[in-house]
Amino acid sequence: MTMPEVNPSLRLLKRNFCKGQVGGGIFNMTGANTRIIDSTISSNTGTSRGGGIFNSGGDVYLRNVTVWNNNGSSKSGAGILNEGGGDIYMVHTTVAGNYINANFIGAGIVNFNPSTLTLVNSIVADNRNASGGRSA
């Protein structure tokens, strides 16, 4: 997937302290085309999945974004969860310091097949699960 450079549909300075069952910070669904540029998505909780960003079948473009210090209370993808054939394209984006309160997978990013995740000059680091293990 090649996501063209276009005007952003969403520009955040910070997205803080939000809580939802899925997608505590950003919830993106099938048919939605969301672009987030020059932003920080932090301190959000997905009580089930996708604390920072939850994408199910939509397209998400991130440029110069930090997804940091988000929490997954029970399942997968404290930072970002991508499923349902969704596409996420990340450029100069950092996903770090996210924490999942269980021993499930992907404290930083979870990408379920047939979804697509593309990272260009991006960092995924220092994400942890409840047992202290580090995971992408």
Side-chain angles (χ1 to χ4, degrees), residues 51-132:
I53 299 172
F54 176 80
N55 183 47
S56 181
D59 293 331
V60 176
Y61 173 82
L62 305 172
R63 186 179 73 206
N64 298 328
V65 173
T66 300
V67 179
W68 175 77
N69 195 38
N70 295 287
N71 185 307
S73 294
S74 63
K75 296 195 179 173
S76 303
I80 298 173
L81 188 132
N82 189 31
E83 68 176 22
D87 295 313
I88 296 181
Y89 190 89
M90 298 169 39
V91 179
H92 301 292
T93 293
T94 300
V95 179
N98 298 288
Y99 179 79
I100 195 155
N101 290 337
N103 291 319
F104 290 96
I105 59 170
I109 300 174
V110 172
N111 187 66
F112 288 115
N113 199 15
S115 302
T116 305
L117 175 67
T118 304
L119 286 80
V120 178
N121 295 324
S122 295
I123 298 168
V124 179
D126 198 28
N127 299 288
R128 297 178 181 266
N129 66 20
S131 67

Side-chain angles (χ1 to χ4, degrees), residues 2-64:
T2 302
M3 303 264 311
E5 293 285 332
V6 297
N7 292 328
S9 59
L10 183 60
R11 190 179 291 260
L12 304 170
L13 294 176
K14 281 199 169 188
R15 176 79 169 159
N16 289 322
F17 307 108
C18 295
K19 185 175 185 177
Q21 183 174 359
V22 293
I26 303 290
F27 183 86
N28 196 62
M29 290 292 293
T30 301
N33 187 352
T34 301
R35 284 159 170 62
I36 303 169
I37 298 174
D38 299 329
S39 300
T40 299
I41 299 167
S42 69
S43 304
N44 301 291
T45 299
T47 58
S48 178
R49 301 172 299 192
I53 299 172
F54 176 80
N55 183 47
S56 181
D59 293 331
V60 176
Y61 173 82
L62 305 172
R63 186 179 73 206
N64 298 328

